[in-house]
């Protein structure tokens, strides 16, 4: 929750401004060109002189309220149906504010570090991708002209201040789109194409940020499992949550997108990251439930597996090896056990393993959209690559079963399955033979009579060829994953 000192500061600021200027003010997130979330109650709020009568009109709805003793006011609009017809909202007090070109559709928030912040202007400058089947929309910024996609780029220094010009939302084109999240834009584009409804994207990301600054400090201190009890959590918890997330919480959303982890992977984190991410997911869901009167406590949370990178060759405070990143992937994977979550697999989305900011952001956005389309919009489609489910050891073989096999398992390049290793009770892993049998994979190794564990893609340098027939890659795993018992999702 908002700290007492910060709350009192805002009260004094907004109260003084309201009384001195004798006019109502709005937060940055409410402006012309915005998209309002359909089918949910909608908060419209702001600031003014104490005791001022405020009237909000939108469509056939007219709502009135009076500012409180702190100069704050809020009305709640009844849920709205989808509308691609631009409309105006009028807010009247001692002054009149008119917000125009407003649509009603789906609104999503994307956040994280540099790979989420990665701007559209960079798309045309990247090397031509090696995987032609994934496309290369180098001219997307030039040709983008869809007035039904709107974008809001969070300004860390401005978001918590009242707005006087009401132009913070923009149509997704030209200079506004140039600096917007590429992954966020391509997610919105895919959603609009498949749903034919207006889409609003809010981007709040900071390059190089760890996960802790995006989590309210008290959420880490009070994480349900007590994992961080009596621990001092570093990396400035709450540093970005307070100025860049909290002011958005009254604004109704459909869900969240998250692309972050590289900074924490450099610190060789695993289970601790799982619990930090759990705290982030729960705290954001709770904040929106309270802030926007959303009765759904489990807003969708879809996130991106950090892309393959040569962490083992970097020199930093912590020594890393070729298993550092796969172990971090395991930590990310644990969050799939929480309700309404999904992860995009990226093992095939980095052509150059020394590039911490790989291209293919268009494919990242598309794969994120697949999760949303299937799970939130009832589209019948394959939205995930194969995910390890269980193993049965039978004699000299291991039989693996998978979820999300789709139309069947396949080798994307037509060659024998690769990147499988197998071990006996001694824990010594050797290269394995893997063969598809229906929706199972049979794994064995010459000379190994009693296998006890299987690993797949468990090395930062591996680029596995196991996919489902819908073209989505399998998630790396190890059957002897220790986090399965260590992490408690509920």
């Amino acid at each position: 929750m908002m700290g007492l000192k910060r709350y009192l500061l805002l009260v004094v600021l907004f109260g003084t401004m309201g009384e001195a200027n004798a006019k109502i003010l709005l937060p940055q997130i409410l402006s012309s060109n915005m998209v309002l979330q359909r089918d949910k109650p909608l908060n419209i709020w702001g600031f003014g002189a104490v005791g001022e009568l405020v009237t909000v009109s939108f469509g056939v709805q007219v709502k009135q309220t009076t500012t409180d003793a702190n100069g704050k006011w809020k009305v709640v609009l009844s849920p709205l149906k989808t509308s691609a017809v631009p409309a105006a909202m009028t807010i009247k007090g001692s002054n009149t504010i008119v917000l125009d070109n407003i649509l009603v559709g789906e609104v999503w928030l994307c956040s994280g570090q540099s790979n989420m912040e990665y701007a559209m202007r960079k798309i045309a400058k990247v090397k031509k991708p090696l995987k032609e089947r994934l496309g290369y929309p180098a001219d997307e910024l030039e040709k983008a002209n869809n007035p039904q996609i709107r974008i809001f780029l969070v300004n860390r220094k401005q978001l918590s201040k009242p707005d006087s010009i009401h132009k913070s939302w923009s149509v997704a084109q030209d200079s506004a789109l140039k600096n917007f999240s590429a992954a966020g834009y391509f997610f919105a584009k895919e959603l609009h194409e498949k749903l034919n409804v207006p889409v609003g994207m809010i981007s709040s990301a900071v390059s190089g940020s760890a996960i802790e600054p995006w989590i309210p400090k008290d959420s880490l201190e009070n994480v349900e499992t007590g994992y961080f009890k009596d621990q001092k959590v570093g990396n400035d918890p709450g540093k970005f949550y307070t100025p860049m997330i909290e002011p958005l919480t009254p604004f109704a959303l459909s869900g969240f997108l998250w692309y972050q982890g590289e900074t924490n992977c450099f610190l060789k984190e695993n289970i601790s990251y799982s619990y930090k991410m759990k705290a982030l997911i729960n705290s954001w869901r709770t904040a929106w439930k309270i802030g926007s009167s959303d009765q759904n406590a489990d807003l969708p949370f879809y996130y991106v597996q950090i892309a393959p990178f040569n962490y083992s060759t970097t020199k930093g405070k912590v020594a890393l090896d070729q298993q550092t990143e796969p172990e971090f992937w395991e930590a990310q994977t644990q969050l799939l056990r929480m309700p309404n979550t999904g992860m995009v697999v990226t093992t095939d989305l980095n052509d150059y393993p020394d590039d911490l900011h790989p291209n293919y952001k268009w494919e990242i956005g598309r794969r994120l959209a697949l999760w949303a389309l299937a799970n939130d919009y009832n589209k019948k489609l394959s939205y995930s690559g194969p995910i390890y489910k269980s193993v049965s050891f039978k004699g000299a073989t291991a039989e693996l079963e998978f979820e999300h096999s789709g139309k069947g398992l396949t080798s994307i390049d037509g060659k024998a399955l690769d990147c499988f290793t197998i071990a006996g009770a001694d824990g010594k892993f050797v290269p394995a033979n893997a063969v598809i049998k229906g929706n199972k994979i049979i794994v064995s190794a010459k000379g190994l009579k009693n296998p006890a564990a299987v690993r797949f893609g468990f090395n930062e340098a591996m680029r596995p060829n196991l996919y489902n027939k819908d073209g989505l890659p399998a998630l790396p795993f190890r059957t002897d994953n220790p986090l399965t018992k260590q992490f408690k999702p509920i």
Side-chain angles (χ1 to χ4, degrees), residues 137-190:
D139 60 347
E140 183 64 34
L141 184 58
E142 298 175 14
K143 69 180 184 181
N145 181 25
N146 190 334
Q148 290 194 41
I149 299 178
R150 309 291 175 81
I151 54 178
F152 179 97
L153 183 60
V154 168
N155 182 315
R156 178 184 173 189
K157 296 181 179 180
Q158 296 296 323
L159 186 62
S160 61
K161 299 178 181 179
D163 186 15
S164 59
I165 59 175
H166 318 302
K167 295 181 179 179
S168 51
W169 280 87
S170 303
V171 175
Q173 61 187 28
D174 303 328
S175 60
L177 183 57
K178 182 178 180 180
N179 296 311
F180 195 76
S181 164
Y185 167 75
F186 284 106
F187 171 88
K189 183 182 179 184
E190 187 73 12

Side-chain angles (χ1 to χ4, degrees), residues 223-352:
V223 69
E224 299 92 326
T225 62
Y227 184 85
F228 298 107
K229 184 179 180 181
D230 301 324
Q231 293 186 42
K232 179 176 175 56
V233 180
N235 290 328
D236 296 317
K239 179 181 179 180
F240 298 137
Y241 177 83
T242 299
M244 300 182 69
I245 298 298
E246 188 176 63
L248 301 171
T249 56
F251 195 77
L253 301 174
S254 186
F256 310 107
L257 308 178
W258 179 253
Y259 193 170
Q260 188 279 335
E262 296 87 351
T263 294
N264 293 85
C265 186
F266 275 115
L267 298 175
K268 205 175 175 63
E269 287 199 57
N270 42 68
I271 187 66
S272 63
Y273 186 83
S274 300
Y275 279 113
K276 289 170 186 176
M277 198 164 168
K278 175 184 176 181
L280 183 141
I281 294 171
N282 284 339
S283 64
W284 285 22
R285 286 173 168 173
T286 298
W288 256 269
K289 181 182 180 183
I290 294 172
S292 60
S293 300
D294 184 3
Q295 298 304 308
N296 181 5
D298 293 328
L299 283 174
F301 193 102
Y302 302 129
Y303 58 101
V304 183
Q305 174 196 43
I306 60 172
F309 176 73
N310 289 341
Y311 284 92
S312 62
T313 63
T314 61
K315 296 181 179 179
K317 296 180 180 179
V318 181
L320 309 178
D321 56 39
Q322 291 191 323
Q323 277 68 55
T324 296
E325 186 172 25
E327 289 174 0
F328 189 84
W329 290 339
E330 283 185 333
Q332 289 185 297
T333 302
Q334 296 309 306
L335 282 305
L336 290 175
R337 296 161 59 191
M338 292 183 67
N340 291 1
T341 59
M343 183 170 74
V344 166
V345 177
T346 60
T347 50
D348 60 336
L349 299 183
N350 193 354
D351 292 336
Y352 309 99

Side-chain angles (χ1 to χ4, degrees), residues 334-467:
Q334 296 309 306
L335 282 305
L336 290 175
R337 296 161 59 191
M338 292 183 67
N340 291 1
T341 59
M343 183 170 74
V344 166
V345 177
T346 60
T347 50
D348 60 336
L349 299 183
N350 193 354
D351 292 336
Y352 309 99
D354 289 323
D355 185 0
L356 193 60
H357 305 101
N359 46 33
Y360 296 110
K361 294 297 186 288
W362 53 92
E363 181 64 9
I364 293 289
R366 188 187 78 86
R367 290 182 185 180
L368 283 166
L370 292 178
W371 277 92
L373 288 167
N375 291 282
D376 305 301
Y377 303 110
N378 300 315
K379 297 295 181 180
K380 303 298 182 184
L381 48 78
S382 178
Y383 56 93
S384 171
I387 296 178
Y388 165 72
K389 181 180 179 181
S390 63
V391 62
S392 299
F393 296 104
K394 299 180 179 181
T397 66
E399 291 189 4
L400 301 171
E401 291 193 61
F402 295 82
E403 298 178 308
H404 303 290
S405 297
K407 299 174 184 176
L409 302 172
T410 189
S411 164
I412 193 68
D413 56 11
K415 299 179 181 178
L417 294 181
D418 55 18
C419 301
F420 281 89
T421 58
I422 194 167
D426 59 3
K428 296 181 179 180
F429 284 85
V430 297
N433 298 313
V435 179
I436 297 171
K437 184 178 180 181
N439 284 330
K440 296 182 179 181
I441 293 179
I442 311 302
V443 184
S444 62
K446 187 176 181 179
L448 183 62
K449 296 181 179 180
N450 297 296
V454 176
R455 296 181 179 182
F456 167 73
F458 212 75
N459 186 301
E460 67 180 17
M462 290 181 173
R463 301 294 182 269
N465 62 1
L466 174 61
Y467 285 60

Side-chain angles (χ1 to χ4, degrees), residues 46-85:
F47 323 96
V50 174
E52 185 171 6
L53 179 66
V54 179
T55 303
V56 177
S57 304
F58 188 67
V60 298
Q61 296 191 53
V62 179
K63 300 293 179 74
Q64 285 190 329
T65 190
T66 303
T67 58
D68 64 18
N70 297 316
K72 300 169 69 174
W73 61 268
K74 181 182 79 170
V75 302
V76 181
L77 297 180
S78 300
L80 301 169
K81 296 300 181 184
T82 306
S83 177
V85 178

